[in-house]
Amino acid sequence: MSAPAAAAGTGEDHDYPIRTWVFEDAAGRFDIDLGDSNMRPVRFDELTVPPGLELDYGHDRGIPGLRGRVAALYGGDPGSVLVTQGAQQALHLVYTTLLTPGSQVVTFRPGWQQSWDVPSELGCRVELVGYRPDLTFDVEAAERVAGPDLRLIVVNSPCNPTGRHIAGADLRRLAALAARTGAYLLLDEEYALGLSASFAVGADRVVSVSSLSKVYGFPGLRVGWMYGPRALVDACARSKFLATISNSVLCEELACTVLDERERHLAAYRELTGQGLALVRGFAERNADAVRLVEPQGTPFAWLWLTTGERPLAMCRRALDLGVLLMPGETLGARDGFRICFAREPEAVAEGLRRVERVLRPPGGAGPGAAPGPEAPTGPPPPS
């Protein structure tokens, strides 16, 4: 069986919009958030607003001080940076700038829904590629489906939701595939801590996207960026201007202060993720008959295979009834597991996991270790 079971399929059983789950179904119904994939949000009163700040339009590409700080993360040129409304806008700008009806896009599933929904809405032919049984990126499958109209390859590493990095050899093969076909390689590197190692540095057809939302804990600032070839960045900047002109100068100035204290924020991230992951490991060990943990590689979340025969969405709905937000696999293009974020205060993670244990197994079912039902995966998940 390929992994995950729903990695490269299509159909309603895999698709449940994350927007519907978070902003409609779950809104106001939880007091413990283990669903969002970001570091515990930082409070505004922990930031210092620059005195005398003039709230003008700023700059359409981002204020120079912020572009310089972002470029320093890559060890590159500020001219290769475009500051955006979160990584989401950066990704969207790449799609709308590069793609035309009939273009081919290769992306990996499960993953971020935007990577297949937006190209599809633009009239593109989207090839959904899965992962190898060990959850490494199935580059061979990507190479097999690549055609003459290939325009974009999308890679999220570390991957949301599997928590795994793409191997260097696999990334080099995808970069070579992009170069050989005249396509671009889009790296969604939201969870990467060391952007100086990004393949986008010095590359002609590779663009990196990241933000302050996930690792730093500032999703409310809505500050993201792209780093890539100047011609592509210039084209995206023109499109951004027509849509939003610029970002909030207040948010961009605050983003400068965040990056000035980068090491302090990363230290807090490492401390919380270390404590939280230990709790999730214990949870998985206690419930080995119901879940199997995929060991994350530096992400604030982990993927857990659900082996009870129940759909993740159903289990997550019952967890929501107890005030805990999880992320069912159906929101990420899979139907055989769920994502849990542990970059929270240890007390919140521990209490959330206690509640999840109460609903982990389906009510009235055959009990732990039961064979999967007709709506479950067709075989057991691969080992982590």
Side-chain angles (χ1 to χ4, degrees):
M1 185 190 73
S2 63
T10 58
E12 294 181 0
D13 57 350
H14 309 146
D15 295 318
Y16 192 82
I18 196 168
R19 176 194 56 78
T20 301
W21 174 246
V22 174
F23 294 113
E24 295 180 14
D25 294 357
R29 295 182 56 197
F30 60 91
D31 63 301
I32 296 179
D33 176 9
L34 304 183
D36 288 331
S37 60
N38 54 280
M39 163 70 167
R40 173 205 62 200
V42 180
R43 296 176 60 89
F44 181 76
D45 56 16
E46 296 180 45
L47 296 173
T48 301
V49 178
L53 175 62
E54 186 175 90
L55 296 177
D56 58 13
Y57 276 103
H59 196 289
D60 65 333
R61 293 175 180 245
I63 58 174
L66 181 54
R67 292 204 311 276
R69 287 167 171 83
V70 171
L73 297 177
Y74 292 88
D77 182 358
S80 295
V81 175
L82 175 64
V83 179
T84 59
Q85 296 275 346
Q88 183 87 333
Q89 187 188 38
L91 293 166
H92 195 273
L93 285 169
V94 173
Y95 298 138
T96 56
T97 300
L98 287 180
L99 302 177
T100 56
S103 298
Q104 185 189 37
V105 175
V106 172
T107 187
F108 292 84
R109 178 173 178 158
W112 187 233
Q113 181 184 15
Q114 185 196 38
S115 71
W116 53 83
D117 276 359
V118 174
S120 294
E121 290 177 0
L122 293 173
C124 299
R125 180 164 58 92
V126 180
E127 299 288 352
L128 297 169
V129 179
Y131 300 89
R132 302 179 185 117
D134 61 355
L135 285 184
T136 54
F137 288 72
D138 193 344
V139 175
E140 295 84 2
E143 291 171 332
R144 285 195 300 271
V145 299
D149 297 320
L150 180 63
R151 185 63 171 159
L152 190 64
I153 305 167
V154 185
V155 173
N156 175 212
S157 177
C159 175
N160 176 13
T162 69
R164 297 299 183 94
H165 284 265
I166 186 169
D170 288 339
L171 190 53
R172 286 189 290 274
R173 286 176 64 179
L174 289 177
L177 175 62
R180 189 165 62 247
T181 58
Y184 283 82
L185 177 60
L186 173 57
L187 301 179
D188 179 350
E189 299 185 295
E190 274 271 26
Y191 304 97
L193 298 182
L195 291 172
S196 62
S198 174
F199 262 52
V201 179
D204 293 332
R205 308 194 72 82
V206 183
V207 58
S208 169
V209 167
S210 192
S211 80
L212 297 183
S213 297
K214 304 301 187 182
V215 170
Y216 295 90
F218 292 92
L221 286 183
R222 307 309 304 135
V223 171
W225 58 80
M226 68 176 67
Y227 183 96
R230 282 210 180 192
L232 176 58
V233 171
D234 289 347
C236 289
R238 289 192 291 271
S239 295
K240 178 198 169 187
F241 177 84
L242 295 174
T244 61
I245 299 179
S246 60
N247 288 17
S248 160
V249 68
L250 172 60
C251 291
E252 290 194 356
E253 288 285 358
L254 292 174
C256 289
T257 69
V258 172
L259 291 178
D260 286 344
E261 298 190 37
R262 179 173 184 269
E263 292 307 319
R264 178 173 69 85
H265 292 298
L266 292 185
Y269 171 80
R270 292 186 179 101
E271 180 179 5
L272 276 189
T273 53
Q275 295 170 337
L277 180 55
L279 292 168
V280 171
R281 286 170 177 154
F283 166 83
E285 290 172 2
R286 291 192 304 274
N287 297 280
D289 63 300
V291 296
R292 191 174 300 169
L293 173 67
V294 176
E295 189 70 20
Q297 296 175 329
T299 53
F301 57 81
W303 179 255
L304 288 141
W305 301 106
L306 184 63
T307 60
T308 61
E310 184 179 22
R311 288 291 181 88
L313 183 58
M315 187 277 290
C316 291
R317 281 175 170 154
R318 290 187 291 108
L320 187 60
D321 289 339
L322 297 183
V324 181
L325 178 67
L326 301 171
M327 197 56 60
E330 290 89 339
T331 66
L332 298 158
R335 63 180 175 87
D336 43 13
F338 62 99
R339 190 190 71 198
I340 188 163
C341 182
F342 48 79
R344 304 288 186 265
E345 297 297 342
E347 297 78 11
V349 177
E351 173 58 25
L353 292 174
R354 279 193 290 269
R355 296 183 198 177
V356 173
E357 285 193 70
R358 293 163 53 187
V359 298
L360 190 56
R361 298 163 185 85
E375 294 186 338
T378 56
S384 61

